[in-house]
Amino acid sequence: MKYSNRDRAILLLADGTIFYGKSIGIEGTVFGEVCFNTGMTGYQEIFTDPSYFGQIMVASNAHIGNYGTNEEEVEADKIMISGLVCKNFSFNHSRPNSSEGLKEYFEKQNLVAISDVDTRALVSYIRDNGAMNAAICTEDCDIEQLKKKLSEIPDMKGLELSSKVSTKEPYFVGSPDAKYKISALDLGIKKNILRNLAKRDCYIKIFPYDASYEEMKSFSPDGYFLSNGPGDPDPLYAAQETARKILDKNEPVFGICLGHQVLALANGISTYKMFNGHRGINHPVRNLLTGEGEITSQNHGFAVVREELEKHSDFEITHEHVNDGTVAGMRMKSKNCFSVQYHPEASPGPHDATYLFDQFITNIESAKSS
């Protein structure tokens, strides 16, 4: 391997803490909320997940880039993270079906990345001190100037980001001859969610994040889907109003992640910003309806207030996170509505929860026959 001398780079946290590393060769300075993902694989899907928009990703796996990239393994048409922090960045890759190396992939989209960071120490620090804003600098870094710019970056709490990643115009996925028609609200939807719906004989029309119920209803759907996405759910007033109208008509609706939170807010149940959030592909969830456990893929920094949900007479908690007891799933007793905080499409991740897509189809069938 040819030796190369790489420039020094830094990660500056909002509290003034600095972690040192090396640039992978793309100059620039980027800002975002720093978070970490514990997944050992699936980095390309993570980097292109719209739910990570506005965030600097810390990879807890020691090696990133070793299997290159593949143009089919994306959750959006472009990289969504603000920047990457890792321990060992692989400039060489080895996989028969890889399209190109990770550095070349980053260069095309000018994604700034820093390697040779003590990520074990960094992840431990974030776990102890919470998610916060940060900056990656791989060029001439004036620390005081960087601190000033970083102090001006808005916090994730209260930040509406779905408008940054949602489609501008409606589009379709699946066969027009499919058995079921679904209207999906794109708050930052992942491609694999659409693949899972299409696989179940659904023709999906995907609407912008602020689409009204009337617009979504014009497709004459059999069911409605509220997607995942980035940012704080609280400012998504249009989505909450659309959800309320869907529920008023008691039409089948399924929400994932941000969509799950929007359904709670539409019913007067609060959400809150978590200290760290859940991001990884090995999170344990208990299904309270069956008593069974599921290993799940998760990516969220906000959650539904469990105490308020338990007091709501029309809601039932269906799933809980085993580690901290947070709400992982819920359903309404008088409406054809259910949602989960995690990702049953699991791209990347285990497939323990794909049955939830089947449950959605079952609910649609029940509504049709009633």
Side-chain angles (χ1 to χ4, degrees):
M1 182 187 301
K2 182 181 178 182
Y3 177 81
S4 61
N5 184 33
R6 293 191 288 128
D7 295 334
R8 193 176 78 157
I10 65 167
L11 172 73
L12 172 67
L13 302 183
D15 65 2
T17 304
I18 299 175
F19 285 82
Y20 293 93
K22 294 181 179 180
S23 169
I24 70 161
I26 301 171
E27 289 192 356
T29 300
V30 294
F31 300 89
E33 182 186 65
V34 68
C35 65
F36 60 89
N37 188 296
T38 59
M40 294 293 102
T41 187
Y43 55 72
Q44 189 178 358
E45 293 93 327
I46 292 168
F47 299 160
T48 56
D49 181 349
S51 294
Y52 281 121
F53 184 85
Q55 293 181 306
I56 292 173
M57 172 56 57
V58 179
S60 64
N61 189 7
H63 300 278
I64 293 296
N66 49 305
Y67 59 82
T69 63
N70 184 305
E71 58 190 19
E72 299 298 322
E73 296 172 357
V74 296
E75 290 303 315
D77 293 331
K78 63 179 181 178
I79 294 172
M80 290 292 177
I81 61 171
S82 296
L84 172 69
V85 181
C86 64
K87 174 61 176 173
N88 299 311
F89 189 92
S90 297
F91 292 87
N92 298 307
H93 63 280
S94 176
R95 187 172 56 148
N97 65 342
S98 60
S99 306
E100 61 185 346
L102 188 57
K103 186 190 177 189
E104 291 73 27
Y105 185 66
F106 282 178
E107 284 176 333
K108 288 181 178 178
Q109 302 185 53
N110 197 34
L111 185 94
V112 175
I114 176 175
S115 69
D116 294 78
V117 174
D118 185 348
T119 49
R120 286 174 64 91
L122 175 55
V123 168
S124 179
Y125 191 87
I126 298 170
R127 284 176 63 90
D128 291 342
N129 295 276
M132 66 183 82
N133 284 339
I136 297 175
C137 180
T138 65
E139 46 197 353
D140 292 333
C141 305
D142 182 325
I143 301 298
E144 294 307 314
Q145 188 66 23
L146 199 58
K147 285 181 179 179
K148 182 177 183 299
K149 290 181 180 179
L150 181 56
S151 68
E152 297 169 354
I153 302 300
D155 291 333
M156 190 64 73
K157 183 173 173 58
L159 204 56
E160 184 279 298
L161 293 177
S162 286
S163 59
K164 308 293 185 182
V165 298
S166 177
T167 183
K168 303 303 180 187
E169 299 292 336
Y171 65 98
F172 299 89
V173 169
S175 169
D177 299 321
K179 184 176 181 180
Y180 309 104
K181 293 171 67 177
I182 306 295
S183 283
L185 191 64
D186 177 13
L187 304 175
I189 200 163
K190 294 173 67 178
K191 287 181 181 289
N192 206 42
I193 289 175
L194 298 174
R195 294 186 197 107
N196 270 277
L197 290 171
K199 189 190 303 181
R200 287 162 176 81
D201 206 15
C202 294
Y203 184 45
I204 312 107
K205 185 174 183 179
I206 299 91
F207 291 84
Y209 80 105
D210 56 353
S212 67
Y213 167 74
E214 290 74 20
E215 289 172 307
M216 298 182 74
K217 178 66 176 176
S218 67
F219 185 50
S220 300
D222 300 301
Y224 294 81
F225 177 78
L226 308 184
S227 85
N228 63 293
D232 190 338
D234 196 56
L236 292 172
Y237 306 118
Q240 293 169 37
E241 179 61 22
T242 296
R244 273 190 286 270
K245 290 185 177 180
I246 294 171
L247 294 173
D248 285 344
K249 300 296 183 180
N250 195 22
E251 301 192 70
V253 59
F254 177 25
I256 287 178
C257 201
L258 189 60
H260 160 84
Q261 297 160 10
V262 165
L263 284 167
L265 289 165
N267 284 276
I269 301 167
S270 305
T271 58
Y272 66 98
K273 188 178 187 299
M274 303 173 74
F275 189 64
N276 264 312
H278 297 150
R279 298 177 181 90
I281 57 177
N282 62 345
H283 285 260
V285 163
R286 181 182 295 111
N287 185 325
L288 300 178
L289 304 178
T290 66
E292 296 177 343
E294 302 170 16
I295 302 301
T296 68
S297 176
Q298 302 207 8
N299 171 19
H300 61 103
F302 291 81
V304 173
V305 176
R306 179 164 184 154
E307 294 75 15
E308 293 185 22
L309 188 60
E310 290 175 328
K311 292 176 183 177
H312 198 294
S313 60
D314 202 23
F315 270 93
E316 177 182 17
I317 298 175
T318 58
H319 301 77
E320 67 177 5
H321 197 292
V322 173
N323 290 348
D324 57 13
T326 51
V327 177
M330 63 187 188
R331 68 180 180 184
M332 297 188 73
K333 299 173 184 177
S334 67
K335 305 289 184 182
N336 196 337
C337 166
F338 77 105
S339 61
V340 290
Q341 182 62 80
Y342 53 100
H343 286 267
E345 83 287 346
S347 182
H351 296 162
D352 295 23
T354 52
Y355 70 89
L356 292 164
F357 290 101
D358 299 322
Q359 182 178 322
F360 184 36
I361 299 304
T362 298
N363 288 359
I364 289 174
E365 285 286 1
S366 297
K368 281 185 160 189
S369 60
S370 62

